[in-house]
Amino acid sequence: MNQLQQLKQTSTVVADTGDFLQLARFAPQDATTNPSLILKAVLQPDYAPLLESTVAAHQSASLDDIVDAVLVRFGLEILKVVPGRVSTEVDARLSFDRDATVARARRLIALYEQAGVKRERVLIKIAATWEGIQAARELEKDGIFCNLTLLFAFCQAVACADAKVRLISPFVGRIYDWHKKSLGAAWDETARSLSNDPGVQSVTRIFNYYKQHGIATQVMGASFRNVGQITALSGCDLLTISPDLLAKLEASDAPFERALGGDLGAAQPAITYDEAAFRYALNDDAMATEKLAEGIRGFAVDAGKLDAMIEKLRTN
């Protein structure tokens, strides 16, 4: 078996892309999108007609409504290819507004349901800020499943579990990036690879904590920089992987061992956070604080670019 086939025996493989034309090749169970991936897709000629037709069909709607229609249109196309779920992200500019996040999530779900898609096939992606986690808590009570993203700190994972969210996406590559940049010339790539990779270690700690305490929230490792990070997390509930890394896994027959799910390591005491404790713990983690803010800014910039493209189409 190639490495992709091996991986599918231990983890649910998810495609991290808005390019639904690539999906069938890798046969993933689910797919995830975000504003940057959707922007990347609509800039390709293959997707220009989809964007244009969606905007034309909603000319009189507000900009926010048109954006949501575009996101859902991509989600509907993805769901024609994957048998499982699609993750559709709430505008990152709402990351610190609980009520607005809830309202936007409900509108996205309503659009999917109007198109005949059951809500069980959709994960609403929300940044793992305190406000985002509390929005997810409310949405989950209504049967709207959530995927908490931009998750870098252990306190974020604990708060998501307390909110009983369906799934979290702890990032690997961006944690790796931060530590590599921080250490500069002192970084040893070989010594900090596989199970010693700081991003891999972060996800492993979260996964083990969840399993030790019987937490139902699913862990989906995300944001990978290389195949080694992926294989070092084999056995994680889910792994969302970009098409280029899926292709590398498919091209290799090198064997690897299941990494997670066997030895859960030393027992970790149960922890809870109220708002003040959560904010302090997040503030105390320089890497997580910087990467969360950077991630929200980046998604917001790309959301703004998509807004501009839609406005241009609407006025032409």
Side-chain angles (χ1 to χ4, degrees):
M1 292 187 293
N2 63 45
Q3 288 193 322
L4 182 56
Q5 292 168 326
Q6 293 177 63
L7 187 65
K8 287 180 178 180
Q9 292 193 325
T10 65
S11 300
T12 297
V13 171
V14 180
D16 193 22
T17 181
D19 187 349
F20 52 81
L21 296 177
Q22 293 190 55
L23 289 178
R25 169 184 170 186
F26 303 110
Q29 176 67 23
D30 297 348
T32 54
T33 65
N34 63 46
S36 301
L37 293 175
I38 295 296
L39 178 66
K40 182 179 178 181
V42 299
L43 289 172
Q44 298 179 43
D46 287 342
Y47 296 104
L50 183 148
L51 178 64
E52 292 165 3
S53 64
T54 305
V55 173
H58 299 83
Q59 279 285 352
S60 60
S62 70
L63 177 59
D64 285 348
D65 284 342
I66 297 175
V67 170
D68 285 350
V70 170
L71 298 179
V72 171
R73 180 70 183 279
F74 270 86
L76 292 172
E77 294 297 329
I78 287 170
L79 288 173
K80 293 177 183 178
V81 184
V82 302
R85 304 168 295 187
V86 66
S87 290
T88 298
E89 190 152 350
V90 170
D91 192 326
R93 292 167 291 191
L94 302 179
S95 295
F96 301 100
D97 189 329
R98 184 189 70 88
D99 292 343
T101 296
V102 169
R104 197 69 172 263
R106 287 181 173 151
R107 189 165 72 194
L108 288 167
I109 286 294
L111 289 172
Y112 275 110
E113 292 183 328
Q114 289 166 19
V117 172
K118 293 182 179 180
R119 61 178 58 189
E120 290 81 7
R121 295 197 70 196
V122 180
L123 290 166
I124 298 297
K125 237 176 143 180
I126 301 169
T129 59
W130 178 259
E131 294 81 3
I133 295 168
Q134 302 318 307
R137 182 191 298 273
E138 181 174 339
L139 291 165
E140 291 280 354
K141 290 177 181 177
D142 291 339
I144 297 173
F145 302 147
C146 299
N147 170 358
L148 273 290
T149 187
L150 293 176
L151 196 149
F152 304 98
F154 187 69
C155 65
Q156 291 173 291
V158 171
C160 286
D162 182 63
K164 295 181 169 57
V165 306
R166 179 55 54 109
L167 181 148
I168 62 169
S169 295
F171 280 32
V172 177
R174 297 193 193 193
I175 293 176
Y176 161 90
D177 293 343
W178 189 91
H179 285 279
K180 185 175 181 178
K181 181 180 178 180
S182 178
L183 286 176
W187 175 264
D188 185 332
E189 187 69 33
T190 301
R192 300 305 297 272
S193 64
L194 299 175
S195 62
N196 292 322
D197 183 303
V200 170
Q201 291 175 334
S202 176
V203 177
T204 300
R205 180 189 180 193
I206 292 166
F207 178 88
N208 289 346
Y209 178 84
Y210 276 19
K211 302 312 174 189
Q212 287 172 0
H213 295 282
I215 293 166
T217 301
Q218 297 173 318
V219 180
M220 180 168 70
S223 168
F224 294 105
R225 297 292 179 262
N226 55 65
V227 166
Q229 292 173 337
I230 298 169
T231 58
L233 289 173
S234 61
C236 194
D237 298 325
L238 305 95
L239 297 170
T240 183
I241 306 167
S242 64
D244 62 324
L245 288 175
L246 287 171
K248 289 182 179 179
L249 287 164
E250 187 181 57
S252 173
D253 295 328
F256 60 87
E257 299 292 329
R258 182 187 184 117
L260 303 187
D263 180 9
L264 297 179
Q268 301 178 70
I271 306 171
T272 57
Y273 291 97
D274 60 14
E275 181 177 356
F278 173 89
R279 293 191 185 281
Y280 185 84
L282 186 59
N283 181 77
D284 203 39
D285 187 329
M287 176 277 298
T289 301
E290 291 175 24
K291 299 310 286 187
L292 174 61
E294 178 186 84
I296 291 171
R297 287 195 301 269
F299 285 160
V301 167
D302 285 340
K305 291 178 181 177
L306 182 58
D307 287 352
M309 289 180 67
I310 290 170
E311 285 283 32
K312 185 176 180 181
L313 285 171
R314 190 162 61 161
T315 56
N316 283 348

